[in-house]
Amino acid sequence: MPIIEVKGLSKSFEPGVFALKAVSLNLSRSQILGILGPNGAGKTTLIHLLLGLITPTEGEILIFGEKLSDSRGISTRTRARILGRMNFASNYVSLPLGLTLRENLMVYALMYGVAEPRNRCDRVLKMFELYELKDKRAKTLSSGQMMRLCLAKALINEPELLLLDEPTAGLDPEIARKARQLLMTLSRQKGLSVIYTSHNLWEMQEVSDRVLFLKKGEVVLEGAGRELLGSYEARSLEELFFKVIEGKK
């Protein structure tokens, strides 16, 4: 059973104007799916739909075999059950600035009912080399440190599904490399499934098992990265990306 099934998903914020149009996709256990597209392609709208933050205009979303939402609305009880098994991080979302790093993580650990929450908070802080800053307030962090804290929060409940919206933007190259390696390790060893957006095409090529290209809200290409590169005679995802957005594929 797929972790995520999206069927004919469309979202319109005003009549006749679609941020997403007839998008369908599946995500299997242990798979990392990269979502690519230029600004305004619908990547963040798709993430918000998968989080149940907005309701589809058409289509339906199933996560862990349960219907999260369709055009008739979102089931609050089902959404809570699904969200308890997943998590999210974004370069565009920060955590409460007045709390310390450990306090921030403790809030989420308690919210998710994490066993031994203090120990779990310390472990994820160490994963992202933030432990020495645990008693500092979040408002003192640099943008890169804040993104690392958001990634630590996203792993606090040991999720089965992770949604990441440009998660390494602002990270220095070494920390970004370690974050990518951690995601790939968790995918292989723990069965973590990931949907991942990024403008770093080299990074996407390294991390993703499959990629999906969005253009003006529609899926224009989807498949395993290496197969797509071979099919379209591209040497890299970057070259393929420009072929797609320029309409040459």
Side-chain angles (χ1 to χ4, degrees), residues 11-242:
K11 180 60 183 179
S12 175
F13 293 102
E14 55 183 286
V17 180
F18 285 89
L20 284 179
K21 191 171 184 180
V23 170
S24 296
L25 65 89
N26 290 335
L27 180 71
S28 301
R29 182 176 171 82
S30 299
Q31 200 168 61
I32 300 177
L33 173 64
I35 307 293
L36 294 171
N39 291 335
K43 303 184 296 297
T44 298
T45 298
L46 176 59
I47 294 288
H48 288 175
L49 285 161
L50 293 174
L51 288 167
L53 297 176
I54 53 177
T55 304
T57 304
E58 298 173 4
E60 65 178 14
I61 300 169
L62 288 86
I63 301 180
F64 306 122
E66 295 193 272
K67 185 182 288 187
L68 171 68
S69 62
D70 59 21
S71 58
R72 291 171 293 184
I74 297 168
S75 166
T76 302
R77 186 172 297 177
T78 302
R79 180 176 183 262
R81 193 162 53 239
I82 290 171
L83 290 181
R85 300 171 62 185
M86 60 187 285
N87 216 311
F88 165 72
S90 171
N91 185 50
Y92 306 108
V93 178
S94 63
L95 299 174
L97 299 179
L99 299 181
T100 67
L101 277 65
R102 180 184 270 158
E103 287 170 344
N104 262 291
L105 295 185
M106 281 293 291
V107 168
Y108 287 95
L110 294 171
M111 185 185 301
Y112 281 101
V114 171
E116 299 183 352
R118 189 179 181 89
N119 289 339
R120 179 61 184 167
C121 290
D122 288 349
R123 284 201 298 274
V124 294
L125 285 169
K126 289 174 183 176
M127 284 181 191
F128 292 97
E129 300 182 14
L130 292 170
Y131 184 74
E132 299 303 318
L133 303 175
K134 63 184 182 300
D135 297 318
K136 297 286 187 181
R137 296 193 184 278
K139 65 184 178 182
T140 68
L141 300 181
S142 68
S143 59
Q145 289 169 335
M146 178 59 80
M147 190 63 238
R148 284 150 62 188
L149 181 60
C150 289
L151 287 169
K153 185 277 296 182
L155 294 179
I156 196 70
N157 61 323
E158 300 185 83
E160 300 168 59
L161 170 63
L162 201 53
L163 305 182
L164 301 175
D165 194 8
E166 298 190 38
T168 60
L171 298 186
D172 67 62
E174 179 61 14
I175 294 295
R177 181 183 66 83
K178 290 180 179 179
R180 292 193 299 271
Q181 290 177 338
L182 177 60
L183 289 176
M184 291 187 286
T185 298
L186 290 173
S187 177
R188 290 192 303 267
Q189 297 182 0
K190 302 290 186 179
L192 176 66
S193 304
V194 181
I195 288 185
Y196 185 107
T197 78
S198 177
H199 287 293
N200 185 329
L201 300 179
W202 179 86
E203 174 180 270
M204 188 69 74
Q205 186 167 328
E206 178 188 17
V207 172
S208 301
D209 300 303
R210 290 168 44 238
V211 293
L212 181 147
F213 284 84
L214 286 174
K215 183 179 179 182
K216 296 182 180 178
E218 298 185 62
V219 176
V220 293
L221 203 60
E222 191 271 337
R226 289 184 180 180
E227 293 176 5
L228 293 177
L229 294 180
S231 298
Y232 293 96
E233 298 180 348
R235 291 166 292 182
S236 66
L237 273 185
E238 182 176 27
E239 183 178 337
L240 180 58
F241 178 84
F242 286 112

